[in-house]
Amino acid sequence: MPSSYYDIDSILAEEELVPCAVLLDFSHLAHLDPDAAHSASRAADGIGGADASNGAVKKRRRPDHRLPEGCRIKMPLWAMEKWALLGYVRAGLPRHYGRRGRERLEADPGSADLRSRNERFFMSGILLVDLIERCSDVLAQASGRQRRNAHTAAMAHVTREAMELRRTLHLTYTGERMRRIFDWTLSSIDDDVTPFTRRLTALEMRLFHIGAAAAAAHTAWKNFGSRRIAVSETALRATAMQTRGYMKQTARAVSPGRAK
């Protein structure tokens, strides 16, 4: 999905939390696993209680700050993209993009409240699918021969799920939801459509506003008739540029040097 580096929608779409499987051992990254921090705090409480009961002062062990291989964490899409391409982690699909979520979405896409799941549901899904397709081969070759088979099989499964997700996103966006958006744009002039629009994603809201503006312009044309159409500034600038270019060519053609 090509976009500008400073596109706010793309920046916010990359905030989607993606479940990842760690493929290597990392030092000093245990804070990325909330379960590890919880286990460490419980272990520290247990050691403190034992010390207090025995009446002996023991030096507590330093907590383990490793992020071991095989654990599952969640990272924003923008943060784990480079790690996934380097083969450090294997990306998965969030729950609302999973098989059950896709089945519920395909069963009744018109009444699904996608905004509550992710305000940029379609943009985040496409970015995630593109990332999985780019890094599938990299993740399959990131480990040794014995581990590579397991990771290749897991990555092949994730890739198939990503392809199904792309198909579901395409059908959902261009199907019943788009027809309802077009219907409500025609009713947005006189009726309150807030109960409907509050379920739309940012991409669908953009489409709705474009359709509502077109419907309002059509209604104004029917009520007030046609008016004088102003010349587009783009057309005026293009004409001025062509005129200046023609004048420069004419000046070069009749210059004194060429006449000699």
Side-chain angles (χ1 to χ4, degrees), residues 32 139 172 185 231 237 252 254 257:
L32 296 179
L139 293 180
T172 303
T185 54
V231 181
R237 288 196 297 267
R252 287 196 299 266
V254 300

Side-chain angles (χ1 to χ4, degrees), residues 106-238:
E106 292 177 359
D108 190 9
S111 60
D113 188 4
L114 300 182
R115 193 179 187 89
S116 62
R117 304 178 188 179
N118 186 348
E119 188 175 354
R120 288 158 180 83
F121 183 84
F122 295 100
M123 299 179 65
S124 299
I126 292 299
L127 290 174
L128 180 57
V129 170
D130 291 340
L131 176 61
I132 292 176
E133 291 179 351
R134 280 188 292 150
C135 68
S136 58
D137 295 335
V138 177
L139 293 180
Q141 301 174 1
S143 304
R145 177 72 61 179
Q146 295 179 354
R147 295 165 52 200
R148 186 180 303 172
N149 295 331
H151 288 308
T152 302
M155 197 62 217
H157 174 71
V158 175
T159 304
R160 289 193 299 269
E161 292 287 319
M163 294 176 62
E164 290 294 327
L165 175 60
R166 182 188 292 276
R167 184 185 65 85
T168 301
L169 292 176
H170 177 73
L171 294 178
T172 303
Y173 181 74
T174 60
E176 181 181 353
R177 294 180 69 89
M178 181 173 287
R179 290 194 295 269
R180 289 194 178 187
I181 291 174
F182 288 158
D183 292 341
W184 281 105
T185 54
L186 300 177
S187 305
S188 61
I189 301 175
D190 300 326
D191 300 335
D192 182 16
V193 295
T194 304
F196 170 73
T197 56
R198 67 179 52 173
R199 300 197 305 266
L200 300 180
T201 63
L203 192 62
E204 293 173 325
M205 281 297 299
R206 187 184 306 175
L207 182 64
F208 174 81
H209 288 314
I210 294 174
H218 180 258
T219 302
W221 174 78
K222 289 194 301 183
N223 294 334
F224 303 104
S226 59
R227 298 180 180 180
R228 185 175 180 180
I229 301 177
V231 181
S232 174
E233 295 183 0
T234 304
L236 293 175
R237 288 196 297 267

Side-chain angles (χ1 to χ4, degrees), residues 19-96:
C20 306
V22 180
L23 303 181
L24 299 172
D25 286 334
F26 291 97
S27 300
H28 305 288
L29 290 180
H31 58 276
L32 296 179
D33 186 7
D35 295 335
H38 180 67
S39 301
S41 62
R42 292 187 59 184
D45 294 340
I47 294 176
D51 292 343
S53 61
N54 295 332
V57 178
K58 298 181 180 180
K59 185 178 181 180
R60 295 185 180 181
R61 294 181 300 174
R62 181 177 298 177
D64 188 5
H65 295 289
R66 289 190 316 108
L67 184 66
E69 176 187 359
C71 70
R72 296 185 176 275
I73 59 177
K74 289 185 178 181
M75 296 179 63
L77 185 59
W78 62 268
M80 54 81 60
E81 179 179 2
K82 182 60 69 175
W83 282 19
L85 293 175
L86 292 175
Y88 295 165
V89 296
R90 182 179 64 245
L93 295 179
R95 178 175 298 179
H96 49 269

